[in-house]
Amino acid sequence: AITIAIPMTLSVDAVYAPVDELLGGSNLGTLIADAALMIGVFFLGRGITKAAEYRPLPVRIALGPATLVVALAGLVIAFVLIDTGSTTTNFMLDLGEQPAAAAYSIIQFTYYGIVVAAMATVAIRQFRLRTGVQRIPAGSLIIGAVLGVSLSVVVIVMDIAHLTGNLELMAAAGNLYGPLFLLTFLFLCIGLAGQPALRYVGERKRLTRTQSFVEQLAPLWDAATRVRPGLSQRDATAIRLADPETVLHREVVEIRDAMIDPRVEFDPTNEDRHLLEQAEAHLLGSDRR
């Protein structure tokens, strides 16, 4: 987050100009910002793949530290070869006719394209494994990744067009840059924020359902423990103060124990048995459609 925030902040002209002046006034701030963004994207991509626990060899290579180091080395070498002049807030527009500047931008956006393509590979698998609304975050990541690759292609086309003097093509491609940049970040953010948001909603729904089962089974549990005292009777207060999942598990276990114990008479109604089966399915997670 910090490494991505640095270039986003330096993209503000009023911030960049004085910062670059402090660094010597030779656009070194551009190199720092672009390198920081590449590092941030590197960690972002690795975080997504680790969370998904799906890392085929091409993805591991694309998101590996060696690929990042090679890209950063190429970026630094290309920057050193650029005649940067004095501070400018339009780096590529002012210097893009230089081969080194074109190489600088192409290296940067080629790396971005590789990383978001690897993210798309992971998101596609997650999309296939999910159903319903659970597909929304993965679907958003896929769209964002596709847009990100498209953005990289557009920038590379602009670089080549600028280098070859085809300013009309550069201007035409430049019209796509703004919308693609905005939509890429929009869908990536929706995808990244959607996963924990849906997980939170799912956990709250499960907690509510668990508490409902605990309350519904409480009379049956009390009846079961009266005829066959269980472990919970030894420390009933602690059990009742435990988390709902633990309480529900204890209720199910002790009700079942009373039902199968031949020494006691405990015969729940059909409605009670059905409720007990629903609670068991809920604990096992097999009640989901």
Side-chain angles (χ1 to χ4, degrees), residues 12 33 49 65 80 83-84 103-104 134 144 149 159 179 205 210-211 231 233 238 267:
V12 180
T49 55
V80 170
D83 182 8
T84 57
Y104 175 87
Q134 297 294 330
V149 172
D159 293 332
K205 288 177 64 177
T210 300
Q211 290 173 331
L231 293 174
Q233 299 302 104
D267 187 22

Side-chain angles (χ1 to χ4, degrees), residues 56-101:
L57 181 60
V59 171
R60 292 201 303 271
I61 294 174
L63 299 178
T67 303
L68 174 65
V69 170
V70 170
L72 287 174
L75 194 76
V76 172
I77 293 171
F79 183 85
V80 170
L81 298 176
I82 300 172
D83 182 8
T84 57
S86 58
T87 299
T88 174
T89 55
N90 298 303
F91 187 78
M92 288 306 299
L93 285 176
D94 294 340
L95 307 173
E97 74 279 357
Q98 298 183 42

